[in-house]
Each structure stands twice: as C-alpha cells, then as structure tokens.
Amino acid sequence: IARFQDNVRGWGVNPETLVVVYDDNAGAQAGRAWWTLRWAGFDNVRLLDGGVDAWAALGQTVTKEAATPAGGGTVTLRAGCMPTLSADAAAALARSSVLLDARGKANYVGAPAEPGKPATGHIPGAMLAPSGEHVDCGCFRPSDDIRRRLVELGVDASKPIGVYCGSGNAASHLLAAMHAAGLEASLYVGSWSHWSADPARPVATGPERG
C-alpha cells in the first residue's frame, strides 16, 4: 500500500481530486484500476464508459504525447476497503450462495489447455457470468438491464456474492457494472490463476456448475 500511495501521489492526486480511469478495451483493464483505488480507500474515482473510443467519437481531442505526472499529491491510502475472498472463502461461497465466473464460456467449460498454461475449468459451484455480456458497443448496458440479467442468472442481492475471473481484471470490470446496477460483491483477487496453481483444489468442467 505504501508503494501504491507513492505512485498515486506521483500522479498529483489529493483527497479531493476526481480521478477518471479509461482504456481502449471497453473498460476491461480500467475496471481493475477503478477497483484498486476503491480498495485503497479512494472513492472519488469514475470509469469512463466506452473508454477512449467513446471520447474520440464525441470529437474530443486525442493526443499521442505522454502526459507528465503532476506530482505533489497528498492523498493518504489504506488497504482493504473493498471486500475480498480467499480461495477457501470463494469455494464456500460457491456452495452456499453465489460465486460468479466473469471469464468467457470456453474457459469456464474447460477448453483444451495450451502448452505451458494451466488447465481450464471453473471453481465447483460457480456460475458463468462473462463480463463482456454487460457491454454493448463498448459501453455498459443500462443498469436496469445489467441487474435484470444477473437476477435471471440467479443472483440474489440479499445473499453474499463473489466474483472471480482469470487474474482479477474481468472480475473487476463486472464488479463495476454491478456497482452501477446497485449490486455489491467481493473479489477473489487471485482468481483462477491462484486457484489452479494448487493441484489439490477441485476443478469442475463442462457447462454445469458442478
């Protein structure tokens, strides 16, 4: 957290600063920045819906020049301000409540493993909820639509909800979409990369939750 705070202060961020994060991939990476800043106790952060493509489509200026960080920021950050899950907690949540897998269907089902990469599949009991399904033409779908889709999937806002993906990026993007729809959930930060690193952990394959 100390290193992260130094980085954020180097951007010139003060306690009252509004931070906007974006990317060129419908928010797939910017969502992780949004989540990480909130995890560090900085809530005044927004995700630019549609990213740089939406910005350019409005005729706004785009440059190839790298910005110089302002420096001199005074923000104070603290770890642990967003809920997270351990591997054991994610497994328990998949059995007792809702654990969403934000990856694509091929990884969830268990596509053939590539050489040097861990076998795919999913945490037993997890539900398939690809983060990309909550995006249309690069922007988030309407919040009511996102909420309806998740409720149809079986998400119950009155019960604990967990989210994971391959390494935490897609899951963070899904968490941003859920936040816009009035739903909060915990992130299994290590996600499938962490889960699959231990061969003793069970793996479900196929389209069923397992």
Side-chain angles (χ1 to χ4, degrees):
I1 191 64
R3 286 184 60 189
F4 185 50
Q5 178 175 278
D6 287 344
N7 288 337
V8 177
R9 286 180 174 181
W11 304 336
V13 178
N14 299 316
E16 69 280 4
T17 302
L18 171 63
V19 175
V20 179
V21 295
Y22 72 92
D23 58 27
D24 62 353
N25 192 22
Q29 284 75 45
R32 184 59 177 265
W34 171 87
W35 183 90
T36 303
L37 282 164
R38 288 172 60 85
W39 170 85
F42 189 84
D43 293 334
N44 201 21
V45 54
R46 304 291 183 269
L47 186 64
L48 179 61
D49 199 13
V52 70
D53 292 335
W55 174 267
L58 291 174
Q60 301 292 340
T61 301
V62 177
T63 180
K64 294 183 179 179
E65 298 296 324
T68 301
T74 59
V75 68
T76 298
L77 302 180
R78 62 190 190 280
C81 296
M82 289 286 278
T84 60
L85 297 170
S86 65
D88 289 342
L93 202 59
R95 294 191 300 268
S96 64
S97 186
V98 175
L99 181 66
L100 301 176
D101 187 324
R103 299 173 300 163
K105 184 176 181 179
N107 284 326
Y108 179 88
V109 170
E114 298 180 27
K117 292 188 176 181
T120 55
H122 58 273
I123 297 173
M127 297 180 183
L128 176 62
S131 62
E133 290 187 356
H134 303 287
V135 173
D136 183 25
C137 296
C139 295
F140 281 127
R141 294 181 182 274
S143 295
D144 289 345
D145 190 12
I146 293 172
R147 189 180 183 93
R148 177 184 56 79
R149 285 167 174 262
L150 290 168
V151 169
E152 290 177 351
L153 186 64
V155 172
D156 183 348
S158 67
K159 297 181 179 180
I161 306 169
V163 183
Y164 78 99
C165 59
S167 60
N169 286 356
S172 297
H173 186 243
L174 177 55
L175 285 170
M178 294 174 67
H179 178 76
L183 296 168
E184 302 299 332
S186 300
L187 175 64
Y188 175 18
V189 181
S191 285
W192 186 253
S193 296
H194 180 258
W195 182 273
S196 61
D198 184 350
R201 294 193 183 109
V203 174
T205 56
E208 302 300 325
R209 293 175 62 182

